[in-house]
Amino acid sequence: MAPSKDRRPGFSRRAQYSLFLAYILGIAGAVMGAALLALSTFQPAAFAMLRAGVAELTAPVSGAVATGVRWLAVIPDTVGSYILVHDENARLRAQAERNSRALVIGREAQLENVRLRRLLALRDRTGEVVVAARIVSTTASSTRRYGLLNAGSWQGVADGQPVSGPEGLIGRVLYTGPNTARVLLLTDAESVVPVYRLRDGRPALAAGRGDGLIDVRTIDTADGDFRPGDVFVTSGTGGIFVPGVPVARVLHKGTDSAPARPFARPSALDVAIVHRAFMPPPPAVPAPTPSPTPTKKPAADDEQ
């Protein structure tokens, strides 16, 4: 059934009560207003005290309402500031990431420059250079220690040629392919390099151990007197390795042998230089001394 179109309050008791309450409140407000008007006219002091009391009672409510209004008023500014700060933060993070990548690239370029300068110094100091190549892989985690160069026989690399890096001697070429060459590293158990000690020129042998280190051994029965920090370089004995290339530094004291760490670490190898095998000059042959020419005796006097 459709609701009645008669909107008069007589049909609803709730509407009657609401209308009656509105009348009561209106009449009460009018009476209170008239009373306050009369009080302010005839008793200003009493009206002032009443107004002060009402103000004391309503001050906390007014303060809370004002705080709420201010908080609501700053919501748009806060949201706008958050959006601006979020965008600025994202922009700064992107810029920091770009700067970080540029810093890493610059650091890599600086390290590469240092390594290339060392290679140039090594090339100027050592013998004839065959080729400069990259070590594309090493077997640093296996029992055998090999490295693979990205240059081979087509670039002039041959078996037995010494291989050096910016830090020192790496090893020698074991065998070659057209564009690759396998290098026997210093730390391999089959590697033996003639060396001598810088501080006194004492000859020794640097033999690989297969664990990333080298054993420096004496070549005679005398006490080697190996001390921590002793530096050994190639001696050129045997005609393969160019003399004067750093090989290893002694770690612990020893007599007949001592462990040493190679300057060229397999885990950090990247660029290498292949040299021609060093051939020491033949020993000088002393010039023969001329024999004295015999003096001819005077002929005997036939007349005597």
Side-chain angles (χ1 to χ4, degrees):
M1 183 176 180
S4 175
K5 297 182 180 180
D6 189 2
R7 297 299 181 182
R8 293 178 299 174
F11 76 95
S12 174
R13 189 175 297 276
R14 180 181 298 176
Q16 292 176 358
Y17 287 157
S18 299
L19 183 60
F20 177 73
L21 183 60
Y23 287 155
I24 295 297
L25 291 177
I27 294 170
V31 172
M32 184 177 294
L36 291 176
L37 180 61
L39 183 64
S40 64
T41 303
F42 300 103
Q43 295 290 336
F47 180 76
M49 292 180 60
L50 179 62
R51 185 172 58 186
V54 173
E56 290 291 336
L57 293 176
T58 58
V61 179
S62 301
V65 172
T67 302
V69 171
R70 287 195 299 270
W71 186 80
L72 292 175
V74 299
I75 287 179
D77 294 337
T78 304
V79 173
S81 299
Y82 174 78
I83 295 175
L84 291 177
V85 169
H86 183 271
D87 295 341
E88 184 70 13
N89 190 18
R91 186 183 66 81
L92 292 176
R93 286 190 176 184
Q95 183 178 358
E97 185 177 356
R98 291 193 300 269
N99 293 339
S100 178
R101 290 197 297 266
L103 182 62
V104 171
I105 294 174
R107 182 61 178 169
E108 290 178 352
Q110 182 180 5
L111 294 177
E112 185 72 14
N113 189 19
V114 171
R115 287 194 292 265
L116 292 177
R117 285 180 180 273
R118 289 178 179 175
L119 282 175
L120 289 175
L122 181 66
R123 185 190 65 180
D124 295 338
R125 186 175 66 249
T126 54
E128 184 179 355
V129 175
V130 176
V131 68
R134 287 192 175 272
I135 298 183
V136 296
S137 66
T138 58
T139 57
S141 59
S142 65
T143 55
R144 299 305 303 271
R145 306 290 173 161
Y146 297 118
L148 186 65
L149 287 176
N150 64 348
S153 58
W154 289 358
Q155 289 77 30
V157 181
D159 298 350
Q161 291 178 339
V163 181
S164 303
E167 292 80 15
L169 186 67
I170 295 175
R172 59 182 174 87
V173 177
L174 196 60
Y175 62 83
T176 61
N179 286 302
T180 59
R182 172 161 284 196
V183 179
L184 182 70
L185 301 180
L186 283 175
T187 53
D188 188 84
E190 300 295 328
S191 173
V192 178
V193 178
V195 294
Y196 71 89
R197 187 163 50 193
L198 281 182
R199 65 182 174 91
D200 57 2
R202 184 181 182 84
L205 292 176
R209 296 173 28 158
D211 59 355
L213 297 179
I214 292 174
D215 275 335
V216 181
R217 306 169 183 171
T218 59
I219 58 176
D220 51 27
T221 58
D223 184 3
D225 188 24
F226 297 113
R227 305 174 188 174
D230 283 347
V231 175
F232 285 84
V233 299
T234 53
S235 63
T237 303
I240 296 179
F241 299 100
V242 179
V245 179
V247 176
R249 186 189 304 272
V250 174
L251 297 176
H252 306 294
K253 185 177 180 180
T255 54
D256 296 335
S257 65
R261 186 180 303 278
F263 289 105
R265 294 173 298 171
S267 60
L269 297 178
D270 53 356
V271 182
I273 289 181
V274 181
H275 304 270
R276 297 198 183 278
F278 173 71
M279 298 299 294
V285 178
T289 57
S291 58
T293 56
T295 57
K296 186 177 180 180
K297 295 181 179 180
D301 191 359
D302 295 339
E303 296 178 356
Q304 294 180 355

